[in-house]
Amino acid sequence: MLKGKCVVIGVTGSIAAYKIANLASALVKLHADVNVIMTKNATNFINPITFETLTGNKCLVDTFDRNFQFQVEHVSLAKRADIFLVAPASANVIGKMANGIADDMLTTTILAAKCPKLISPAMNTNMYENPIVQDNIKKLSDYGFEIINPASGYLACGDTGAGKMPEPETLLSYILQTIAFQKDMSGKRVLITAGPTQEKIDPVRYITNHSTGKMGYELAIHCARRGAKVTLVAGPTALEDPLFVETVHVISAAEMADAVKSRFEEEDIVIMPAAVADYRPINPADEKIKKDQSDANGNVIALERTEDILMSLGKIKRKDQFLCGFSMETENMLENSRTKLSKKNADMIVANNLRTKGAGFGTDTNVVTLITADACRELELMSKADVAAAIMDEILASLTQSEYKLRLS
């Protein structure tokens, strides 16, 4: 994902510096060329050897270190950098950067860099909220630096409040959002559904299914990283809301239908991997149903069909909109999915078979077949993140072809 990308991380004197080791390791696993620059104060919290071991590159501290290749090191690294993250960023270094002071390797290099720059402030709450520090942060933002807002919580000094550096996973998300992909979906609006729905039986019980929402969430993350404005309509899941995505939480099929239909007109692409319940109880009970309320045949729950959201959208979609549905089958996958494609006026169906190893609910992998009116392409077993990329490549190729045909007509 980051192969060939040069990521420079500036580490300053903060107790949170130790967390950057995990970030460096994660970036290396994504095949990034990771280079760490530390202030001298940062070396009091974590040894440079840690970063050198993890990244395979010399950790730079001293601007006048003679133990490197014959080149102007800070200029060379600044030119190679695809992104520069300062994390944790102390108030001292933030002040230096904001006012053009370059008196060590970190500040010298970042002032010479023209790549995207991310700053993750980390400090005591009172220090962070100090108007001087806030002015310096605003100044950096005005100069084009992206500020990663600190988290709130218990700080190393014993205070509780804002100033805590976000976890490495969050910092990694910011890096991936910035440089992982070309922004070839910039200007596109995408709506994606995810997860199951819950249909109320009584205040305690409900009807649902095994969907975890992973496929929909991966699609939302991927589209956002390619520059799209993404709305994720999610049923109940255990997943955290993805960054850079507007997440709309719903519970029932009716709520999901309302959320999707009210936004449909303004969307360019709508993708429907959510496992929406096909039936719901006609008369959900206001109180918990007791065992002794059973009739001679036991408790019988009368059900009614929920709205078929994909079919409803297929009836009103414009020629310039792309509608993608999902089909999970246990038999006759291709036949049933092709029928669904035609019947619901979708542009593509992503089909998989629950019986296939590595596919289905709750897995981190999937095996899908992309079905359109003109083609049928089976993908190999891959991660759901890679499946999301393949689906979007197919959709964008179809849109490009459709736009070309519309221009000719």
Side-chain angles (χ1 to χ4, degrees), residues 6-9 37 73-86 97 102 105-118 143-145:
C6 177
V7 179
V8 180
I9 305 176
I37 305 175
E73 189 76 3
H74 68 280
V75 175
S76 171
L77 188 54
K79 286 181 177 179
R80 288 195 292 116
D82 292 293
I83 192 168
F84 200 129
L85 167 70
V86 181
M97 292 186 294
M105 194 64 176
L106 196 163
T107 52
T108 302
T109 306
I110 198 166
L111 289 180
K114 291 188 175 181
C115 63
K117 305 176 189 73
L118 310 180
Y143 283 137
F145 290 66

Side-chain angles (χ1 to χ4, degrees), residues 65 69 73 76 87 119 131 140 146 161 198 225 234 297 324 341:
D65 183 359
Q69 295 179 353
E73 189 76 3
S76 171
I119 307 297
L140 287 177
E146 183 172 0
Q198 294 178 356
R225 288 176 181 169
N297 298 315
C324 175
L341 178 75

Side-chain angles (χ1 to χ4, degrees), residues 333-398:
M333 182 188 77
L334 293 179
E335 179 184 346
N336 291 338
S337 298
R338 285 194 176 105
T339 299
K340 186 174 187 177
L341 178 75
S342 174
K343 183 178 179 181
K344 302 191 179 183
N345 195 30
D347 298 290
M348 187 167 81
I349 294 293
V350 179
N352 61 12
N353 192 319
L354 194 59
R355 311 286 189 198
T356 302
K357 185 177 181 181
F361 294 131
T363 64
D364 292 322
T365 59
N366 213 343
V367 182
V368 303
T369 300
L370 309 182
I371 302 171
T372 63
D374 304 319
C376 179
R377 183 162 74 94
E378 183 178 355
L379 305 182
E380 62 186 10
L381 174 69
M382 57 179 72
S383 70
K384 286 185 174 175
D386 288 339
V387 170
I391 291 171
M392 293 317 303
D393 286 344
E394 190 79 14
I395 290 175
L396 292 179
S398 295

Side-chain angles (χ1 to χ4, degrees), residues 214-232:
K214 289 181 179 180
M215 191 68 251
Y217 275 64
E218 289 292 354
L219 279 161
I221 292 167
H222 182 82
C223 290
R225 288 176 181 169
R226 291 174 76 160
K229 183 174 182 180
V230 182
T231 300
L232 176 66

Side-chain angles (χ1 to χ4, degrees), residues 161-326:
K164 187 180 181 70
M165 189 184 79
E167 293 302 311
E169 294 80 8
T170 298
L171 300 179
L172 178 60
S173 292
Y174 273 86
I175 292 172
L176 292 173
Q177 177 68 19
T178 306
I179 65 168
F181 297 97
Q182 290 185 342
K183 300 300 183 275
D184 57 354
M185 292 183 69
S186 180
K188 297 285 188 188
R189 297 181 66 98
V190 183
L191 186 147
I192 299 166
T193 64
T197 63
Q198 294 178 356
E199 310 306 322
K200 179 181 174 182
I201 296 173
D202 63 20
V204 177
R205 307 173 182 90
Y206 52 81
I207 297 171
T208 191
N209 55 63
H210 297 294
S211 174
T212 59
K214 289 181 179 180
M215 191 68 251
Y217 275 64
E218 289 292 354
L219 279 161
I221 292 167
H222 182 82
C223 290
R225 288 176 181 169
R226 291 174 76 160
K229 183 174 182 180
V230 182
T231 300
L232 176 66
V233 179
T237 76
L239 303 174
E240 292 186 9
D241 292 355
L243 294 171
F244 317 107
V245 170
E246 178 192 359
T247 304
V248 178
H249 293 282
V250 298
I251 295 176
S252 68
E255 290 177 3
M256 183 169 284
D258 289 343
V260 171
K261 291 194 297 183
S262 66
R263 294 167 172 81
F264 181 66
E265 185 176 351
E266 62 189 18
E267 303 297 333
D268 299 299
I269 301 169
V270 174
I271 310 173
M272 304 280 292
V276 183
D278 294 320
Y279 294 92
R280 64 180 170 225
I282 295 175
N283 297 306
D286 293 329
E287 304 295 340
K288 180 182 176 182
I289 299 172
K290 299 294 185 180
K291 293 177 183 179
D292 57 9
Q293 291 177 287
S294 301
D295 57 25
N297 298 315
N299 278 330
V300 176
I301 302 173
L303 303 176
E304 63 181 353
R305 286 295 302 268
T306 60
E307 180 178 357
D308 188 324
I309 306 174
L310 185 63
M311 181 172 284
S312 295
L313 299 181
K315 291 177 180 178
I316 60 173
K317 80 178 181 74
R318 305 186 307 270
K319 287 185 178 180
D320 62 341
Q321 288 179 304
F322 194 98
L323 181 59
C324 175
F326 274 61

Side-chain angles (χ1 to χ4, degrees), residues 53-123:
T53 303
L54 291 170
T55 67
N57 290 320
K58 179 177 174 58
C59 183
L60 303 174
V61 179
D62 187 353
T63 309
F64 301 104
D65 183 359
R66 302 299 303 165
N67 187 27
F68 53 72
Q69 295 179 353
F70 186 71
Q71 56 187 329
V72 183
E73 189 76 3
H74 68 280
V75 175
S76 171
L77 188 54
K79 286 181 177 179
R80 288 195 292 116
D82 292 293
I83 192 168
F84 200 129
L85 167 70
V86 181
S90 65
N92 182 51
V93 170
I94 287 172
K96 288 181 182 180
M97 292 186 294
N99 292 282
I101 298 172
D103 63 353
D104 60 13
M105 194 64 176
L106 196 163
T107 52
T108 302
T109 306
I110 198 166
L111 289 180
K114 291 188 175 181
C115 63
K117 305 176 189 73
L118 310 180
I119 307 297
S120 179
M123 63 197 75

Side-chain angles (χ1 to χ4, degrees), residues 13-41:
S14 165
I15 187 63
Y18 76 93
K19 292 185 177 182
I20 301 302
N22 288 334
L23 175 62
S25 178
L27 287 165
V28 169
K29 288 176 182 176
L30 293 174
H31 308 292
D33 174 22
V34 183
N35 295 264
V36 177
I37 305 175
M38 301 178 69
T39 63
K40 287 187 177 179
N41 285 338

